[in-house]
Amino acid sequence: MAYRTEQLDEIFLALADPTRRAVLGRLGQGPASISDLAEPFDMALPSFMKHIRMLEGTGLISTRKHGRVRTCTIEKQAFAAVEGWLAAQHAVWEGRTDRLERVVASMRDKEQPT
């Protein structure tokens, strides 16, 4: 899967903050209002809204307003870029560890008396 470096940078920056990770964890259970999401955090609503705006800006969540209540929903497809990047990194490192294993086995075979 193709991904943009800027997109990944923004997503990983969003994921670097424990408040935003907690919000995403809660939204993994289903949609929630901003007031419900903000409740466990000891911060003013305008400060909390900065976290919501960042998550929304990266595409990790979306918000909808129903009357006076704004509801947040996780956007699972936004995680595809991260999953693709992680899969590519996994393949790279798996290849490297496989080569290392072959080198170690070869060295071990050379040390064995014949």
Side-chain angles (χ1 to χ4, degrees):
M1 155 154 273
Y3 53 86
R4 294 185 346 263
T5 300
E6 300 83 21
Q7 179 186 22
L8 282 175
D9 290 347
E10 291 171 3
I11 290 172
F12 281 119
L13 181 61
L15 295 173
D17 184 86
T19 299
R20 292 188 286 267
R21 287 193 309 270
V23 167
L24 290 171
R26 168 53 189 87
L27 291 175
Q29 300 169 16
S33 70
I34 288 180
S35 59
D36 287 342
L37 292 170
E39 185 180 338
F41 302 102
D42 185 26
M43 68 177 73
L45 190 57
S47 297
F48 184 76
M49 286 304 297
K50 289 180 182 180
H51 292 290
I52 296 298
R53 282 191 291 278
M54 180 169 207
L55 290 170
E56 192 172 22
T58 62
L60 293 171
I61 68 168
S62 63
T63 63
R64 287 187 319 268
K65 190 169 185 178
H66 302 282
R68 295 178 60 183
V69 177
R70 184 167 292 278
T71 302
C72 299
T73 306
I74 200 162
E75 294 294 332
K76 294 178 184 175
Q77 68 272 15
F79 289 90
V82 175
E83 290 173 0
W85 184 82
L86 289 173
Q89 294 304 306
H90 181 266
V92 166
W93 284 99
E94 192 168 287
R96 289 176 181 174
T97 56
D98 288 348
R99 286 191 299 277
L100 178 60
E101 185 178 356
R102 288 192 299 272
V103 167
V104 170
S106 172
M107 291 172 66
R108 190 176 22 212
D109 291 344
K110 288 179 183 177
E111 289 177 357
Q112 297 288 329
T114 54

